[in-house]
Amino acid sequence: MSAARQFIKQAIQRLGYDVQRVASDPDEAMGRDPFADMKRLLGAKPGPVILDVGANVGQSVGMFKQVFPTSTIHSFEPSPSTFRELQKNVSGRNGVFAWNCALGAVNETREL
C-alpha cells in the first residue's frame, strides 16, 4: 500500500471509520446492506412473510415493501402509544398487519 493511501486510511480510522474495497463477488459483500442480503438469500421466491419485531412506528415497512413488494409483513410493537403511530403509518398498505404485542420465548404478560 502506498504511503499516501496508508496516511488517508489512518486519518479516516482516527475519525472512527474504516475504509474497505468493495467486493465484486456478491457473496463477499454480505453484511453491508441487510435488505440486499435478505433479497440475495431469498432469491426469486415470491411473497415472503416478514416479521418486523419491535416495529416502532414502521420505519422498516417501506423498505421491506420496496425490496419485497409482494410480501406479507407482520409488525409487532408492544408500546400502546408507539403502536398507535405504527397503525397510522401502515394503515392502507397491502399485506401489512400491525400487532400491539411483544414476541418472546415465553407466553406471559409483562408490564412495559
Side-chain angles (χ1 to χ4, degrees):
M1 181 180 298
S2 73
R5 281 187 178 174
Q6 184 68 27
F7 174 79
I8 291 169
K9 186 172 182 173
Q10 288 174 350
I12 290 172
Q13 285 175 338
R14 276 187 237 114
L15 295 172
Y17 296 95
D18 189 22
V19 177
Q20 295 181 8
R21 185 175 303 276
V22 175
S24 58
D25 180 355
D27 289 332
E28 292 178 22
M30 291 288 283
R32 294 185 185 277
D33 178 351
F35 293 98
D37 293 349
M38 287 181 261
K39 189 170 185 172
R40 191 175 306 119
L41 291 169
L42 285 173
K45 294 178 183 161
V49 175
I50 298 169
L51 304 179
D52 184 13
V53 179
N56 197 263
V57 296
Q59 300 94 317
S60 298
V61 170
M63 185 61 88
F64 279 128
K65 278 299 192 179
Q66 183 178 338
V67 176
F68 304 105
T70 61
S71 65
T72 299
I73 302 172
H74 293 273
S75 295
F76 298 88
E77 176 51 52
S79 167
S81 60
T82 305
F83 177 74
R84 285 190 291 277
E85 290 297 314
L86 170 65
Q87 278 186 308
K88 282 188 236 176
N89 293 336
V90 301
S91 69
R93 296 202 72 155
N94 279 345
V96 179
F97 304 91
W99 302 91
N100 188 200
C101 62
L103 295 184
V106 180
N107 185 8
E108 63 185 356
T109 301
R110 293 250 181 135
E111 187 174 334
L112 179 65

